[in-house]
Amino acid sequence: MTRKNIFEILEEQYDIKEEFIKIFNLFNNMKFLRTLPLTFQQDVYTIEKLADDIFVQWKQRGSCLNCEEIKRKINLSKDFDNFENIINHLEYYLNIIHLIEHKTDKIAQLPLRRCSEYWLLTENINILIEHLHYKKIVFDNEEKVILVPKDPAAIAVAEISSDDVAFAIMKYHHASLKGNLNEKKRLLLSIAHEYEPLLEKPVDGFTKYFDDANNMLNNAHIRHNNKSGRDRKELIANMSDEELEHWYDELYQLLLFCVLVKDNKERKEKIHAFLAEINAKPDKKQGTA
């Protein structure tokens, strides 16, 4: 077996929830001394206190008066098992950081920039965003930052899944999982278990896709031991880990497709019913006004 170097081991240990909690603590607990203008007295500041000082200048504040009001209105919570909540936190942090860096004068920023925790905060946010397969888009003229998924299909399925499965869907993308067949198998099983009723009752016209997903789960060393024993499959038993991982990745995309087919079938039926109402001929018995 090829030895993994310490950096590969560290990459494998990356955990979304754990890393987000580190970011949460850095953002909320960071304090620095700032010399106040005119009085030249020093005061202890947090990131949000610095942002509150220039909050009125922010185009995107709406009618909000400070950071606390923003957080309350977007319903930020300490539910760190909720994927959407984590994304909202990160988007909020990025906007407050962008506000400070573009609206605060360089002298006021200096104590913050000298704070090592601030550098760690910004770096760790970028690292977590990359692991979540999101990208940051900055609109300088509008003074706002948004996060968008790199894989819209994965996000679409994650949004209609339970929190645990949403994490499984997003975690499957991690670069740290490359080569980790056992963890990928576990995540595929988690996704399949959530949507087992769907896989057993496929959408008309897409039966083959659902059958293929089930067959892969049953015969590609995921639900059953297909490398030895009564369920052994010769091809699977002799397949390299790299090739098997490729097929796991293909199954992952197929499972996402099956879920989206069902979601869009229901959407199509609702739209069809709505269009039928729009195009319904008026009752001839009704008199005209």
Side-chain angles (χ1 to χ4, degrees), residues 274-289:
F274 178 59
L275 288 173
E277 287 185 37
I278 293 175
N279 296 316
K281 292 180 179 179
D283 191 340
K284 292 181 178 180
K285 293 181 180 180
Q286 283 186 333
T288 55

Side-chain angles (χ1 to χ4, degrees), residues 122-135:
T122 55
E123 283 296 301
N124 279 27
I125 288 176
N126 289 334
I127 293 169
L128 179 53
I129 290 170
E130 187 64 27
H131 275 277
L132 291 171
H133 277 249
Y134 268 71
K135 60 182 178 180

Side-chain angles (χ1 to χ4, degrees), residues 70-118:
I70 288 277
K71 288 192 293 185
R72 187 176 72 254
K73 286 188 174 180
I74 62 177
N75 197 29
L76 290 188
S77 73
K78 292 185 179 180
D79 180 5
F80 302 148
D81 289 316
N82 184 298
F83 178 76
E84 184 179 357
N85 186 50
I86 286 180
I87 295 297
N88 288 343
H89 270 276
L90 293 174
E91 204 167 57
Y92 167 73
Y93 297 160
L94 287 169
N95 275 282
I96 296 304
I97 289 168
H98 185 267
L99 171 64
I100 289 170
E101 293 188 347
H102 289 77
K103 292 292 188 180
T104 309
D105 62 70
K106 292 182 179 179
I107 295 175
Q109 286 184 40
L110 195 57
L112 180 59
R113 290 189 172 278
R114 285 177 175 171
C115 183
S116 60
E117 287 89 350
Y118 180 74

